[in-house]
Amino acid sequence: IFGNVITAQKVAIRRDQDDVRRRMFALASRMGDEYYYSIPFRKKNKKTGEYEIERVEGPTIVLANDLAREWGNCAVETRLIDSGNQWTFYSRFTDYETGYNLTRAYQQRKGQDTGMRDDGRRLDQVFQIGQSKSQRNVIVNALQSISQDCFAEAKKGLRVRIEKEPDKARAWIQKVLADLKVDQRRVEEIYGRSAANWTVADMAQIFAEVRAIQEGVAAVEDVYPQKDAGDADPNFGKGDEKPRTTPKTEI
């Protein structure tokens, strides 16, 4: 896939890692949900009959692109193999200062549903999603320690922002859900309470979930599945119930 071998090279301005971290942490604190996504997978516990939430979280392509830019003296290249019903993207990260190279493959199925009716435009969107995921994966794995720290800082920054203006955050969520044509009731059922009773922690997670949908990391049905008529949560609307969450960071 990548025939040429790149070794360490002399550069005009060497990297200051402490300065990179300072700049990235400042960005992460401001960017909040633009730097991470969160996808809840709702499932019913066969033993207890209760609903549980397993959550997968990870850095976005925005974080990855900013990190590569601030890291400097590096490059990301992508190659593509078309296998008919899927694409395999190979992305390589190269650090010119150290000669470090990392290549990772990402498989993207062409049939992914993006909610777009025009098949040609849908296919274009799916291609861009696969390419972005491939590049994001190789960057955050090559620079794993700093990407994880930025991920944590972004989550903290978002919480602080929502705590300052919770009503504004709630209104933003409701507007975006409407723009995405997502029935607000579906989100309320996942969280076990109405929008008026969403906590800061709830809204921080919803921000990240919406980001996952907007970036094409997940489909609406994956994040906010429609419950069957017989699956109504008896605790919905009480205001003090919270779905149990097991977060898993995806790097």
Side-chain angles (χ1 to χ4, degrees):
I1 298 296
F2 298 98
N4 56 324
V5 177
I6 300 175
T7 57
Q9 303 175 27
K10 290 184 178 180
V11 295
I13 302 176
R14 290 193 63 81
R15 179 184 305 118
D16 182 337
Q17 292 196 29
D18 290 336
D19 187 47
V20 172
R21 283 184 174 273
R22 282 193 295 269
R23 295 200 306 271
M24 282 303 303
F25 285 0
L27 279 172
S29 182
R30 293 200 306 270
M31 297 297 280
D33 61 301
E34 292 190 49
Y35 265 17
Y36 81 97
Y37 65 83
S38 181
I39 308 173
F41 295 96
R42 179 176 174 274
K43 61 182 181 180
K44 196 170 187 178
N45 188 307
K46 293 181 179 179
K47 293 183 178 179
T48 65
E50 295 181 357
Y51 286 99
E52 298 178 349
I53 300 292
E54 182 175 270
R55 187 171 297 276
V56 176
E57 301 179 331
T60 64
I61 183 63
V62 178
L63 188 159
N65 285 339
D66 285 353
L67 179 54
R69 183 194 66 238
E70 296 298 326
W71 188 252
N73 296 331
C74 63
V76 178
E77 305 164 89
T78 302
R79 301 288 186 268
L80 172 69
I81 293 179
D82 191 330
S83 303
N85 63 346
Q86 65 190 32
W87 292 296
T88 302
F89 292 89
Y90 290 88
S91 289
R92 177 174 72 173
F93 176 90
T94 301
D95 187 328
Y96 292 129
E97 289 192 27
T98 64
Y100 172 69
N101 291 260
L102 176 67
T103 300
R104 288 180 66 91
Y106 181 80
Q107 185 172 289
Q108 174 66 52
R109 57 187 176 85
K110 295 181 182 180
Q112 178 176 329
D113 182 14
T114 65
M116 191 169 290
R117 295 183 179 180
D118 185 306
D119 195 57
R121 293 180 63 188
R122 181 197 62 78
L123 201 60
D124 290 343
Q125 188 177 35
V126 172
F127 182 92
Q128 294 301 325
I129 289 171
Q131 180 176 239
S132 292
K133 285 184 176 180
S134 175
Q135 293 173 350
R136 179 202 66 196
N137 288 354
V138 76
I139 293 169
V140 300
N141 276 277
L143 304 174
Q144 191 166 26
S145 60
I146 189 171
S147 67
Q148 288 178 326
D149 289 344
C150 289
F151 170 78
E153 184 67 21
K155 292 181 69 175
K156 183 172 71 175
L158 177 60
R159 289 282 294 267
V160 170
R161 204 167 74 211
I162 293 174
E163 283 173 352
K164 289 180 179 178
E165 298 182 292
D167 292 336
K168 184 177 179 180
R170 185 177 290 102
W172 181 89
I173 289 171
Q174 292 172 316
K175 179 182 182 303
V176 174
L177 290 175
D179 291 343
L180 292 170
K181 295 181 172 54
V182 177
D183 185 347
Q184 180 178 299
R185 174 76 184 188
R186 293 168 70 169
V187 184
E188 292 174 330
E189 287 177 338
I190 289 291
Y191 281 84
R193 47 182 150 236
S194 62
N197 292 316
W198 284 340
T199 65
V200 170
D202 292 339
M203 289 189 284
Q205 288 187 341
I206 296 169
F207 262 72
E209 291 163 0
V210 168
R211 184 66 58 191
I213 295 170
Q214 290 177 324
E215 288 209 348
V217 176
V220 171
E221 289 298 331
D222 294 331
V223 181
Y224 305 123
Q226 185 73 57
K227 288 186 180 181
D228 295 331
D231 286 343
D233 188 341
N235 293 314
F236 175 76
K238 291 185 178 179
D240 60 351
E241 300 294 331
K242 186 176 181 62
R244 288 176 291 180
T245 300
T246 305
K248 295 183 179 180
T249 304
E250 187 176 70
I251 297 289

